[in-house]
Amino acid sequence: MPVRFHGPTALRRITNKVVTNWHRFEDHSLRLFKGVSLPDSWLKSEKSETVRPKRLKQDTNCQKLVYSFGAGAAEGGRDDVPLLGLKGANLAEMCRLGLPVPPGFTIPTIAYHNEYAKGELSTRLKAQVKKALGILQQQTGRSFGDPENPLLLSVRPGARVPMPGLIETVLDLGLNDETVAAALAAQNQQPERCRYVLRSYRRFIQSYADIVLGIRPAIFERVLDDYRLSRGLPPNAQLSTDDLQQIVKHFKAVVEKHTDTPFPQDPYEQLWRAIAAGFAAWDDEHTAIARKVAGIPHEWGTAITIQQMVFGDCGEDCATGYFNTRDIETGRKCLSGRYLIDAQGIDLFHGLKAPACLRRGETVGGGERPSFEEWRPELYRQIGEIAKRLEQHFKDAQFVEFTVEKGKLFLLQTQPAQRSSKAAIRIAVELAQEGLISRQMAVLRVSPDSLDPLLHPTLDPDQDITVLTRGIPAAPGAASGAIVFDVGEAQRLAAQGRGAIFVCKETGPKDVQAMSAASGVLTSRGGMSSHAAVMARGMGKPCVTGAAGVEIDAVRKVLNIAGKRFKAGDEITIDGKTGAVLAGSARMHHPELSGSFATLMSWADEFRRMQVRANAEMPRELRQARRFGAEGLGLCRTEHMFFEPAGLIAIRRMILAETEQDRKSALDQLALLQQRELTNLFEIMAGRPVTIRLFDPPLHEFLPRLEDDVRNVADRMGISDVRLRRRIAELKESNPMLGHRGCRLAITYPEIPRMQARAIFEAAIEVEKRIKRRSEIEIMVPFVAMRSEFDLVRAVIDDVAAEVAKQHGIELSYRVGAMIEVPRAALRADDLSDSADFLSFGTNDLTQMVLGISRDDAAKFLSDYLSRGVWETDPFVVLDKAGVGTLLTEATERSRERKPGITLGICGEHGGDPQSIRFFEALDLAYISCSPFRVPVARLAAAQASLLRDRGDG
Amino acid sequence: MPVRFHGPTALRRITNKVVTNWHRFEDHSLRLFKGVSLPDSWLKSEKSETVRPKRLKQDTNCQKLVYSFGAGAAEGGRDDVPLLGLKGANLAEMCRLGLPVPPGFTIPTIAYHNEYAKGELSTRLKAQVKKALGILQQQTGRSFGDPENPLLLSVRPGARVPMPGLIETVLDLGLNDETVAAALAAQNQQPERCRYVLRSYRRFIQSYADIVLGIRPAIFERVLDDYRLSRGLPPNAQLSTDDLQQIVKHFKAVVEKHTDTPFPQDPYEQLWRAIAAGFAAWDDEHTAIARKVAGIPHEWGTAITIQQMVFGDCGEDCATGYFNTRDIETGRKCLSGRYLIDAQGIDLFHGLKAPACLRRGETVGGGERPSFEEWRPELYRQIGEIAKRLEQHFKDAQFVEFTVEKGKLFLLQTQPAQRSSKAAIRIAVELAQEGLISRQMAVLRVSPDSLDPLLHPTLDPDQDITVLTRGIPAAPGAASGAIVFDVGEAQRLAAQGRGAIFVCKETGPKDVQAMSAASGVLTSRGGMSSHAAVMARGMGKPCVTGAAGVEIDAVRKVLNIAGKRFKAGDEITIDGKTGAVLAGSARMHHPELSGSFATLMSWADEFRRMQVRANAEMPRELRQARRFGAEGLGLCRTEHMFFEPAGLIAIRRMILAETEQDRKSALDQLALLQQRELTNLFEIMAGRPVTIRLFDPPLHEFLPRLEDDVRNVADRMGISDVRLRRRIAELKESNPMLGHRGCRLAITYPEIPRMQARAIFEAAIEVEKRIKRRSEIEIMVPFVAMRSEFDLVRAVIDDVAAEVAKQHGIELSYRVGAMIEVPRAALRADDLSDSADFLSFGTNDLTQMVLGISRDDAAKFLSDYLSRGVWETDPFVVLDKAGVGTLLTEATERSRERKPGITLGICGEHGGDPQSIRFFEALDLAYISCSPFRVPVARLAAAQASLLRDRGDG
């Protein structure tokens, strides 16, 4: 089956999510908006969503509705992207550079706003277009609508950013029955011209019908197939003039049947309707969805470029192709591209003919056809010079479309080249090293999010592997391994050096060990911010959550994915980048942090204002965090140490203690463990600031949940299961998220913070003796809602500190701060600042409470909310600036008013999100803290935020 | 065993909650601060907690440290309560009125702040006191410290408000060994004087030791008992002079043993230390607790009044007593009181001798002893005149202590009389009718909270009934009945007209029916704002929640309360006013809304600005609300209608529907039910504004929870229990409070709001036809966090309205508003105001989210938080002004800035809390809405808030 024309219909299929070829979709459409580097003008216009194109302000009359280009001159240029669209502005710029561009003109975006309504164009616009067409006729010596020597046009809408496949080009506009009749009349003299005109007419009708009249191309394809079948013609057979005449007749009949009017013969009517269709496409619902995905505001509108047709399909000395000025996979400085002899641009994507390479030896085993370099060495050299010229001029690697008409090269558009994340980094660094751009610009050129795949293994896209289902891509990276349902099995496999995918309905703190041993995590419930997701990102493990169609029976240890049954030990693969769950084991690409990466990060650190810390506590994560450049810890969750087997036993003993004696001995044991772990931690962090959060979760999280476990645990603890069950029931909570946790526990059981404070101080003293460096201790009180709570806990800490200092005969230096995660704490940040040394915003819980959303339960309406546009983005991924952000802004103001110079930081997941980081920079926070694997992303994003802010874009 | 001296020790016992005689504690201590009416000066000083006494501002030098009174003249008077304390100011005032008051002087509160530190008095203060003593010696003709003719003093600390039992009086100060020696020397001439001096000395030592030296009175009592035993004396035997001499010797030895110094002999030393002890008592921890309970700020400090002793125990022509100027139980205008012949004031509370009545026939069966009226008719007449004079002067019913010394009447203090709620209303109304106070003042005189017991049955305090345990008093009123565990039993008893107490670990929406049928609710979990509490208050049913020591086995239908076993059908009693759970059935007082009540409420309505609405939906509650004067509904929870049996079946069918057909038919059935209930509602509310909240709770609340129920329901629904169980599992949420509920459901299932909107409009049209009054419809969208949510739901409502209007060929008028209960909605109240017609603050959920507290789980730390002062008051009872209040203030500002004149109201439980209502008045809200039973409270509180605001105290 031939690959279908990649037009609006195809995109419709994509946006309706029926596409299974997921990585292609990602490459072709998404990366354009995400990983792409931006020209300066673009970055600036990104500042505010409602900014209007510059020219609009200057040209207040908005009288000029056509900008011509051609013959080495142009109205407008590269700075006019908001007005002329990327395509129009760059074509004008190339003309100015004297590069070979077919002449034409661009209708600016302002016309979309002012001269177009309800499918109709204004008279004023039409008049100016007619005038521009006159100039074009003079330049080309052809006449629009002339049967003998017609001026044929392409009509290409183009917005400020490339949106390929969304808004399509009408080609060969200007043909009609008369031109065809004239060509047929001259058939004997010019048989090729005749065939060519007919072929073009057929294609024009089809594309016009699709784009302007809304008739699906499939209908025409079927007519064509039926015709071939009826004549017994093979699919690839050349069609004769007669065949083409017949087919054109059929095509016109289809149009008439669908529209109740004959195919339009007046070239001006064709033109007006094509322009109107271009404008209309900007408003259609599929473009709207794509715009939303890419964050492109509707207000930008689209420009439309009308250009003389050049033909790559007029014989063996004609060709069509594209090139990138650098290798877009690796970033190497060399040409790359594809071309086809005797073909039109869209054939490159048709797939009927396989295109050949541009450079000799560009791909291994390069195919039978000669490379462009071999086919036309002189044109290849010309392209080489053009490439150099464009890079010098546009200061970036470019992607260029070209056509060779009768041996002559024409450029049809240039835009920043799409590139892989890896290439993006190398290109930015090398452009700076070549002196084309500043190091600042190089730092701004790389999308922080694009670093993420470089830090994790990724699926090799060139392999056959079945996607079983798709969940929420909750933590990046890919992993293959045997299905495991419990910690024991995960640890056994880990010990053998084998991969394991831990599968669970939803995880809780008791699953941390299993997650830690496994190579990836799959859950059937939860969203981007469920426990599984947050923990997995913290551990740098791939994770897919809320996977629909995954049914888990943890007791029988079987798994049902989209109707297929798997049992413990069966191999599966998860891709945390796309949410895909795949059968079997898959080939991976492994991360390599190359030289360019290191260079870029060092530049970023130079320009960065905010400190970047990590949220981590386990030795492996701590080391990972240091490797990735964390400057300290912003959140060390002390309770995680109690989920290790020894800790779990001790904390359960504490919870179940019935005598003072039992309780004390359990606490002593916990103190030992805590001190040991903290000693490790201080040693690894070697004097960097370390924020240690006191015990936070509700106690019931440490007790078993399943009936079986209850019996086992009761046995092991030597108590009756009735007693254990009673205690579980006592501790049960309706809404544990808002329950007896955080400093509330510290107030009810002051012996817990007392034990923890002692462990912290003793560990720090021990490490200082050992490594001769003093630890920078920051103790954080969690879940504070009011100052009175904070003061009570602080008093316990200060008391222990005084005791320990006296025992050791030393002075202890430490700071005590509050975690701001309850809205009230943000509302009273002034009061808290009175007695806290620092405030750290825990934006995860803050988002949950400000929005009234339990992240563990959000999966039920999350996708609905995103698809219906209730949320623009998942508020657990990108900070909800309007809501949570308002509270944060007020809180920082209140806090600084009360205590100028107080340290304010972020330790929620948003600390690793680039968009949120720009907001934190604007708040002037001292530091951001995130999962170790997000640290490089945060470093780059923080640098960009600083740079943009310095430029007044912050 | 004799009742112990009601001194600090007794109070200590009370505040440590070991007192079992709960209603006495309530009467003697708490009511003083709660139900009492306040003099004008007092109400004003209540304005702000940090306000300083008026005089302090005027007398900036703070030079005057002594205010004398006596012989018909006084420095200071009734307006100086902040400076002189209630006692000191009123003694001065009585002197000015020429009433018989023993002369003395008062050390003002300013001295507590400036002239006292670390137990020591300043020299300046001592000098001024000595000077005042000089005047006093002149006035009395006695000399301080003179062995022959000593001036004896009482030293009484007194704050702005009465705090009986907390800060005690030292009596007979000025006695020492010398005075005793002089008396003994004159023993033969004046045997009575000698005995009397010895008796006084003994008592002086004991009270001085207790109050100043901190030696427990029990030690002296034991010495006394031992002495009697050793001599074979019966407990009540008169002690001889010799005995008394011996005992005094023993007492002095006890003091010396405990303090390592002899009992102080220097009268000045005695005086300085007694004054210092008075000041110190203000700082002690028991006073601190009592202050906190009563909401009295530490800054007020205490004054100390030093007065010449008068003796009620010098013979048969002496007496001590107190009187109230009106009957404090009923409010009737007549004297009431008690007195004892030949006794000192504290004997009245000793209980060793039973006091007699003041008025003849004051109590039924009045005792053997003659009333005061009979004993000394001329003094009784004098008291009558004084009472009239005091009321005229103080504009309120007064409580007066007096002593009769040798037939002469002395007044020792006057203060507003304690009174029952019922009396408070009658006295206020009658004082206004007598022209003593304005109607405004009458409205301000009655504490709104004191109305509550008048609206519910209360326990008759005069009965013997065992308190089994005590929970949280969650909804007022008392009820007796058979224990029931399920709705069927409750309904069966209700049908028989018998009382039932519904017992449950914690209730959920599925229990609403059972609660509705029962006469009271008892839960072992939850707090003031648990589901059970909120619903019970709404229904006006008594409720005790979080009752410690109540173990419920709903399967076996047994109940364990504090170790005693009860089974279904056994009678118990709960008291929602005190949280007591009692065995068996109890006698009740039933509410009667008397004439004074009605008069007061009509005055309140005259002065009220905010509208008062009710939160109700069931016909009985709606009628109750109207009876109590609700002006509309502020919250009608539509889902409550679905907890009735027919509704429950239909909604379960909807939730479990697998085909479009099933779903539609279930919805049709729900629509019918909803419309029928709403027709009832509109008819009862007869054109008053009605705010109907769309469906709010998560769906799982409608599915069974117990294993047994699952099987039953599956059976009845004709589906497999596996399927039902699967659906239950699907709908399960970790934090349902923050889950898939409110408008989130409306967005996921638009057919639900569509069905509801239609039912609302159709019902309103039907009722309009029937009663010829148009309903004022306000539709409220619950749990909105962002405007996009509201807009989606509003679109559905508007759409249905247009449809219905077209069908009926009429115009529909209705308003659509948002319930502001998610913090984000408050933060974006501006955006919401753009498209909402009104905003109603749901302060229950708002408090939960702003404070991060699940009300169902708060019981675990609630009492800890209250007792440790983390919270001053339960934030679910009294609005947390500093936190939630800040958000509300900002939200109202934002909202009005965007849409001036928008209707803003409150529909949380706080709408019925007087303190919160003052805050809402300050926010200028249009209405408050609360449970029907709180409506009268809210009406009165709203009137007071308006009046105080007009006076500039708001």
Side-chain angles (χ1 to χ4, degrees), chain A residues 588-604:
Chain A
M588 305 282 176
H589 285 165
H590 286 283
E592 45 178 283
L593 305 180
S594 67
S596 296
F597 180 88
T599 308
L600 188 81
M601 293 312 291
S602 74
W603 294 350

Side-chain angles (χ1 to χ4, degrees), chain A residues 879-950:
Chain A
L879 189 89
D880 159 38
K881 280 183 225 170
V884 180
T886 301
L887 196 59
L888 285 181
T889 306
E890 290 177 3
T892 54
E893 282 165 6
R894 284 190 188 109
S895 167
R896 289 182 179 128
E897 207 168 290
R898 190 64 69 87
K899 188 186 267 183
I902 187 170
T903 306
L904 303 176
I906 288 275
C907 64
E909 280 287 297
H910 298 100
D913 168 62
Q915 265 185 267
S916 311
I917 287 171
R918 276 187 76 171
F919 182 73
F920 300 145
E921 171 70 26
L923 288 183
D924 242 327
L925 298 185
Y927 67 85
I928 49 182
S929 188
C930 56
S931 322
F933 272 85
R934 292 299 286 184
V935 166
V937 176
R939 281 161 71 199
L940 181 56
Q944 292 184 348
S946 287
L947 288 170
L948 291 171
R949 193 184 182 196
D950 290 347

Side-chain angles (χ1 to χ4, degrees), chain B residues 599-865:
Chain B
T599 308
L600 188 80
M601 292 312 291
S602 74
W603 294 350
D605 288 347
E606 219 174 285
F607 305 132
R608 179 159 54 83
R609 190 194 56 77
M610 286 189 289
Q611 200 183 50
V612 176
R613 300 191 187 181
N615 303 340
E617 46 280 317
M618 299 317 216
R620 193 171 52 176
E621 293 161 25
L622 294 170
R623 289 197 196 93
Q624 192 68 269
R626 292 238 5 223
R627 253 198 306 279
F628 282 143
E631 298 168 285
L633 296 184
L635 178 62
C636 158
R637 291 149 288 206
T638 46
E639 66 269 13
H640 283 187
M641 300 166 182
F642 302 146
F643 287 110
E644 298 289 321
L648 204 53
I649 291 171
I651 200 154
R652 283 174 175 169
R653 276 186 55 210
M654 185 193 80
I655 296 171
L656 297 165
E658 296 216 327
T659 66
E660 210 35 57
Q661 184 59 30
D662 277 7
R663 191 175 186 74
K664 210 190 148 312
S665 107
L667 271 165
D668 288 347
Q669 205 178 334
L670 283 174
L672 269 177
L673 283 165
Q674 187 98 80
Q675 189 177 331
R676 196 180 63 201
E677 298 283 350
L678 286 170
T679 305
N680 255 334
L681 181 142
F682 285 131
E683 197 159 354
I684 297 170
M685 295 314 292
R688 286 171 185 76
V690 165
T691 306
I692 300 167
R693 184 180 71 181
L694 297 180
F695 194 91
D696 182 47
L699 294 180
H700 54 74
E701 292 201 352
F702 295 92
L703 295 181
R705 281 180 293 183
L706 293 174
E707 192 50 29
D708 273 0
D709 293 346
V710 170
R711 248 172 276 128
N712 279 336
V713 169
D715 263 11
R716 258 177 288 150
M717 310 270 312
I719 59 170
S720 74
D721 38 334
V722 175
R723 199 174 116 203
L724 177 56
R725 230 175 263 123
R726 196 189 312 132
R727 190 80 180 114
I728 292 171
E730 272 168 23
L731 290 175
K732 190 177 180 291
E733 292 183 314
S734 314
N735 296 288
M737 160 79 216
L738 309 174
H740 194 189
R741 54 173 287 212
C743 66
R744 293 169 192 168
L745 279 172
I747 289 169
T748 323
Y749 307 110
E751 58 273 25
I752 299 177
R754 183 165 283 279
M755 172 278 282
Q756 291 199 296
R758 177 169 287 275
I760 292 167
F761 295 128
E762 295 280 3
I765 291 169
E766 191 180 328
V767 171
E768 188 176 346
K769 274 189 206 140
R770 208 186 297 162
I771 67 167
K772 307 285 172 238
R773 278 175 90 161
R774 171 160 288 197
S775 297
E776 203 178 303
I777 307 170
E778 299 177 340
I779 300 178
M780 182 154 71
V781 183
F783 219 71
V784 171
M786 43 213 112
R787 185 181 157 177
S788 50
E789 294 174 317
F790 179 78
D791 287 349
L792 278 171
V793 181
R794 166 155 214 155
V796 171
I797 296 165
D798 288 342
D799 191 41
V800 173
E803 255 175 51
V804 173
K806 204 174 151 197
Q807 273 168 20
H808 289 267
I810 54 159
E811 288 231 336
L812 272 174
S813 81
Y814 63 98
R815 309 199 306 147
V816 184
M819 184 150 172
I820 309 294
E821 47 192 334
V822 175
R824 193 187 192 281
L827 288 165
R828 305 305 308 178
D830 40 3
D831 294 347
L832 280 165
S833 302
D834 267 345
S835 54
D837 302 321
F838 64 89
L839 303 182
S840 175
F841 296 95
T843 51
N844 296 1
D845 276 5
L846 203 53
T847 299
Q848 295 196 74
M849 278 174 268
V850 169
L851 271 68
I853 296 169
S854 157
R855 58 192 187 189
D856 291 325
D857 303 316
K860 279 176 198 158
F861 54 94
L862 181 78
S863 58
D864 231 31
Y865 263 46

Side-chain angles (χ1 to χ4, degrees), chain B residues 31 35 326-332 396-397 417-431 446 450 454 594 596:
Chain B
R31 197 193 288 162
R326 306 213 172 193
D327 187 307
I328 59 168
E329 278 310 318
T330 63
R332 192 156 75 89
D396 196 7
Q418 293 175 36
R419 63 203 74 180
S420 73
S421 304
K422 202 167 147 189
I425 295 172
R426 178 164 172 184
I427 291 170
V429 167
E430 290 187 0
L431 286 176
V446 178
S450 75
L454 300 180
S594 68
S596 296

Side-chain angles (χ1 to χ4, degrees), chain A residues 253-319:
Chain A
V254 167
V255 168
E256 190 156 355
K257 189 179 148 213
H258 275 82
T259 61
D260 281 335
T261 38
F263 185 78
Q265 293 297 315
D266 175 6
Y268 281 101
E269 190 193 341
Q270 292 172 0
L271 181 59
W272 306 143
R273 295 189 66 183
I275 294 170
F279 285 151
W282 186 252
D283 289 331
D284 97 4
E285 70 175 300
H286 306 289
T287 318
I289 292 166
R291 268 204 320 269
K292 194 153 270 173
V293 169
I296 297 169
H298 176 256
E299 295 80 46
W300 281 3
T302 184
I304 293 177
T305 298
I306 290 144
Q307 207 175 1
Q308 187 195 3
M309 285 293 299
V310 286
F311 300 96
D313 55 350
C314 280
E316 290 298 315
D317 54 352
C318 298

Side-chain angles (χ1 to χ4, degrees), chain A residues 732 734-735 737-738 744 747 786 788-789 824 828 850-852 854 857 865 870-871 880 890 894, chain B residues 525 732 734-735 737-738 744 786 788-789 824 850-852 854 857 865 868 870-871 880 882 890 894:
Chain A
K732 189 175 182 294
S734 315
N735 296 287
M737 159 78 217
L738 308 175
R744 291 167 194 169
I747 290 170
M786 44 212 109
S788 49
E789 294 173 317
R824 194 186 190 282
R828 303 308 306 179
V850 168
L851 271 67
S854 157
D857 303 317
Y865 263 45
V870 179
W871 291 337
D880 159 38
E890 290 177 3
R894 284 190 188 109
Chain B
R525 295 177 55 182
K732 190 177 180 291
S734 314
N735 296 288
M737 160 79 216
L738 309 174
R744 293 169 192 168
M786 43 213 112
S788 50
E789 294 174 317
R824 193 187 192 281
V850 169
L851 271 68
S854 157
D857 303 316
Y865 263 46
R868 301 191 59 175
V870 180
W871 290 337
D880 160 39
E890 289 177 3
R894 285 189 187 110

